[in-house]
Amino acid sequence: MNVYIVGRVNASYRTQNLVKWLLDQGHDIHLSTQTVKFLKGKSGVLLLFRYIIRLIHEIIFRFLKVYQILISELVVIPACCNEYQFELKTAKFFNKKILCDFYISYFDTWVLDRNKFDATSKYAKKLLRWDKSCIINSDKVIFLNIIEAMRYLDLINEPFDKSKHLVIPLISEAKKQRKIDYYRDEIKGHKVYNICWWGSYIPLHGIDKIIEVARLLSESSVNCHFYLFGNSENESMPYRRIISDLNLIDHITIRNDLTFKNRLLEEFLVNHCDLALGNFGDSEKAINVITNKLLEAVNMKLPVITCRSNAVLEYFGDDSIIYSENTPDSIAEKIKEIMLYSGEKVQYMTNKAYKIYEENFSIDAYRNSMADLFSHL
């Protein structure tokens, strides 16, 4: 089958696995992520020349897109490419089969969750139109879980159609696994309890709430330390100021140089992390999604505490993930309770969570789901 993949690789791991699966199955694909970098950063006459080159490139590229779609049997809108409406409408015009991996709703993410745009603004309405167009015009739409599917469909007033709307969960790459350490009776209470959060500095995660939890535990003389691993030094600055103002520098460490890409974050977590933090944001999105970091923690066999999320509860019960009410006081008290867990209890929970990961969120699970989907295209 000739497959045209629209747009760019934005949710890299998701799209990488899509491309690999298609190639492994013998499909012929077209994916272009090239951009014009000629004379980038120049000014004056050279900048004008760059604009002309970019215009010529766009004209040629448009014709190429139309041609590639015309000779394809399937057009895929990959994760986080909702804005590529030209390709979507072209595929619809040529009556091509269209598969959309609806990874996120742009309207829900940028307007409702992150408050980047007013809900009544023209741009917010455009984001909602893009979301709706992807769902309406596609023959098959993939959602990450049934809770998100129902939420995103409600935003555009569309009913759930089990023949069209499918669930293929997040994928989390297999990682090294943490050995139970702190929870052994001979160690418990005699070493610092390391609590770790990682991700991007967005409202979904409730980082300000995590800092307040650290303050409460430090005032209770709990022997613990919080590590916050982010991805932007600039975006971490407001939190650094809060930590300094609350005199928590000795209790919270922020680092932006350890990532899964450079493997340093994984090494730290499997060797030092005793408890992983999920998300504690207050938005509707926060209680209706499964985050990547929760799955990363699960497949490293780290115990995880998170706020109650309908999406997480769809897969993980109280015997595999630790849930807390979404207030600093409740989270702090729950952490004190977790610190007293036996090694056997932690091992049971992490093993149970890992089995759920293998069955639903592993690469093998993704490949099986894709094979089932393509057998019905």
Side-chain angles (χ1 to χ4, degrees):
M1 183 184 292
N2 281 347
V3 181
Y4 180 84
I5 302 176
V6 169
R8 300 186 58 78
V9 179
N10 291 327
S12 59
Y13 194 65
R14 181 80 170 188
T15 304
Q16 285 170 9
N17 277 279
L18 166 68
V19 170
K20 186 177 187 307
W21 186 85
L22 289 169
L23 292 174
D24 287 347
Q25 299 306 306
H27 298 293
D28 297 314
I29 69 168
H30 177 84
L31 169 65
S32 177
T33 61
Q34 292 180 321
T35 58
V36 178
K37 297 180 180 178
F38 182 64
L39 297 178
K40 188 175 182 180
K42 301 297 181 180
S43 58
V45 176
L46 291 178
L47 177 60
L48 176 61
F49 187 52
R50 171 174 163 76
Y51 283 149
I52 294 172
I53 295 294
R54 288 186 63 189
L55 178 61
I56 295 171
H57 168 84
E58 185 59 30
I59 293 171
I60 295 173
F61 203 38
R62 283 267 173 144
F63 278 108
L64 180 60
K65 288 176 182 178
V66 172
Y67 173 71
Q68 292 289 350
I69 291 171
L70 183 61
I71 65 172
S72 296
E73 298 151 87
L74 175 68
V75 174
V76 178
I77 313 294
C80 302
C81 286
N82 304 18
E83 71 269 34
Y84 289 89
Q85 294 295 303
F86 172 77
E87 292 89 331
L88 176 60
K89 291 174 181 176
T90 301
K92 192 70 175 177
F93 177 79
F94 287 124
N95 198 32
K96 300 296 180 178
K97 287 183 180 178
I98 303 172
L99 170 65
C100 176
D101 193 354
F102 202 82
Y103 197 77
I104 61 170
S105 158
Y106 278 17
F107 181 80
D108 185 45
T109 299
W110 300 108
V111 178
L112 301 182
D113 185 56
R114 302 192 191 180
N115 298 310
K116 295 291 185 181
F117 308 99
D118 185 89
T120 60
S121 68
K122 288 184 179 179
Y123 195 71
K125 292 176 182 177
K126 178 188 282 190
L127 294 177
L128 190 60
R129 284 199 304 272
W130 288 349
D131 288 348
K132 185 169 185 176
S133 178
C134 287
I135 293 173
I136 296 296
N137 291 311
S138 298
D139 297 288
K140 299 284 186 182
V141 183
I142 300 170
F143 296 98
L144 297 181
N145 56 73
I146 192 65
I147 301 298
E148 283 190 44
M150 300 305 293
R151 174 171 170 75
Y152 296 155
L153 290 169
D154 283 345
L155 288 175
I156 62 169
N157 296 314
E158 280 294 309
F160 181 82
D161 181 349
K162 65 180 181 179
S163 65
K164 176 179 178 176
H165 303 139
L166 314 168
V167 170
I168 298 182
L170 277 170
I171 321 163
S172 181
E173 181 182 19
K175 292 178 170 53
K176 295 180 181 179
Q177 295 179 348
R178 174 78 160 127
K179 294 181 180 178
I180 297 301
D181 186 4
Y182 177 89
Y183 301 92
R184 288 160 48 196
D185 289 339
E186 64 271 25
I187 293 178
K188 194 183 303 179
H190 299 291
K191 68 179 284 289
V192 176
Y193 188 70
N194 293 324
I195 303 169
C196 303
W197 169 91
W198 59 93
S200 53
Y201 298 105
I202 57 176
L204 173 71
H205 299 310
I207 304 168
D208 52 346
K209 205 172 290 184
I210 292 170
I211 293 173
E212 177 62 12
V213 172
R215 185 189 69 80
L216 292 170
L217 291 176
S218 69
E219 290 181 352
S220 300
S221 299
V222 176
N223 189 20
C224 65
H225 192 91
F226 284 72
Y227 289 90
L228 309 182
F229 298 102
N231 58 0
S232 168
E233 192 63 33
N234 185 55
E235 291 178 11
S236 71
M237 292 310 296
Y239 300 107
R240 289 187 186 278
R241 285 192 287 271
I242 294 172
I243 291 167
S244 178
D245 291 343
L246 294 175
N247 295 316
L248 292 173
I249 294 176
D250 293 334
H251 299 277
I252 304 176
T253 297
I254 290 182
R255 294 190 63 176
N256 297 299
D257 59 328
L258 274 65
T259 67
F260 283 117
K261 286 185 178 180
N262 63 24
R263 314 300 291 187
L264 296 178
L265 178 57
E266 181 178 349
E267 286 298 322
F268 182 93
L269 294 174
V270 298
N271 287 300
H272 303 291
C273 183
D274 299 310
L275 178 67
L277 299 173
N279 58 291
F280 298 98
D282 292 315
S283 66
E284 283 293 314
K285 185 180 180 70
I287 60 172
N288 286 288
V289 298
I290 298 175
T291 58
N292 281 292
K293 69 172 177 290
L294 183 140
L295 298 177
E296 289 158 353
V298 164
N299 79 52
M300 285 185 283
K301 290 195 173 182
L302 294 170
V304 186
I305 179 173
T306 189
C307 70
R308 288 195 174 271
S309 161
N310 297 325
V312 178
L313 283 164
E314 186 180 336
Y315 294 95
F316 297 95
D318 290 303
D319 58 347
S320 54
I321 295 289
I322 305 157
Y323 296 99
S324 167
E325 297 302 316
N326 204 15
T327 66
D329 287 319
S330 297
I331 299 166
E333 288 304 313
K334 195 68 179 179
I335 289 175
K336 291 179 186 177
E337 179 184 322
I338 298 166
M339 291 176 70
L340 299 176
Y341 281 5
S342 67
E344 290 77 12
K345 180 171 183 175
V346 173
Q347 191 167 47
Y348 172 83
M349 294 187 77
T350 55
N351 285 341
K352 182 75 177 287
Y354 184 77
K355 184 176 181 181
I356 295 168
Y357 152 76
E358 282 190 310
E359 293 172 351
N360 298 279
F361 304 99
S362 63
I363 293 176
D364 285 343
Y366 173 79
R367 293 173 68 85
N368 291 337
S369 295
M370 289 298 292
D372 183 60
L373 167 59
F374 269 67
S375 70
H376 293 93
L377 275 177

